[in-house]
Amino acid sequence: MRGRLIFPFLAELHRLDTRATAEADPDGAGPLVAGYDPDFKESVLVDADDDGVGERVRAEHPPVRLPCQVEPEAFDALRMYAAGNSPKSRFELVFHFADLEREGLVEAATGDALVRPGDRLGALYDRAGELVQAVRTPPGLYATEARPIGFGLHMSRPSRNLLLVTFGDRQVATGRVS
């Protein structure tokens, strides 16, 4: 017995495809030849819609919906900066390893969960599949930590059963340092 989730919802996850991002040619015939910046080791920004604001180049695996417990800490809390408002949001989702295993999201050789930092939360649904909360992107909510929890709950055959994933927003305005 590995336990179960309490009051589960479905989380729509968009996992970062690092290989496709690295192999992407984000600006076609332009000077960029890869989706990652060689100096900063993060995805490049390209102004694809010519509005003066660079959009992050990002390739994602097809979305997957997984049962989870939702632990919201903050949602669109107001943060004011000299350059404008940058709302703060933070969610913690608890996934069961049995669900991850069923979806092929546990690496067999290492036991690592394939839900990792950099993955994006798209929306939350109820168990019937009805939308509960969509996540606006940008700014989006991105995984910043994925930590196994709940080890050893079974007396005769101890195992881990839960994965705690923290999702946070990315700052969209800049603060002024004085």
Side-chain angles (χ1 to χ4, degrees):
M1 178 89 178
R2 292 172 73 182
R4 63 181 177 84
L5 297 174
I6 301 170
F7 306 118
F9 282 81
L10 296 173
E12 181 182 88
L13 295 181
H14 300 261
R15 294 183 313 114
L16 176 63
D17 187 340
T18 54
R19 178 173 291 147
T21 301
E23 295 171 355
D25 186 359
D27 60 351
L32 298 175
V33 295
Y36 286 112
D37 184 287
D39 297 322
F40 295 107
K41 308 294 188 232
E42 64 181 31
S43 56
V44 296
L45 298 174
V46 175
D47 186 7
D49 55 7
D50 223 14
D51 65 351
V53 178
E55 292 82 24
R56 193 162 298 283
V57 172
R58 178 184 171 88
E60 296 175 333
H61 293 283
V64 62
R65 289 188 186 175
L66 294 169
C68 68
Q69 287 176 208
V70 180
E71 308 289 338
E73 291 192 19
F75 191 72
D76 282 348
L78 184 63
R79 284 189 302 193
M80 293 297 295
Y81 292 99
N85 177 25
S86 182
K88 176 183 179 171
S89 297
R90 180 179 160 107
F91 275 77
E92 289 183 338
L93 301 183
V94 179
F95 298 96
H96 200 289
F97 266 95
D99 297 321
L100 297 173
E101 291 161 359
R102 186 173 46 256
E103 292 294 326
L105 295 175
V106 177
E107 195 172 294
T110 63
D112 289 340
L114 296 179
V115 176
R116 296 186 169 144
D119 293 347
R120 180 173 63 87
L121 177 62
L124 294 172
Y125 295 86
D126 65 17
R127 293 175 67 184
E130 296 293 320
L131 179 67
V132 173
Q133 178 69 57
V135 177
R136 286 187 321 273
T137 303
L141 290 174
Y142 296 88
T144 58
E145 178 184 24
R147 177 170 41 110
I149 59 174
F151 283 84
L153 294 178
H154 194 273
M155 291 290 284
S156 61
R157 224 181 68 199
S159 65
R160 66 178 176 187
N161 64 342
L162 302 176
L163 179 72
L164 176 68
V165 182
T166 303
F167 290 88
D169 58 8
R170 291 191 173 161
Q171 186 174 318
V172 293
T174 58
R176 194 168 91 189
V177 180
S178 44

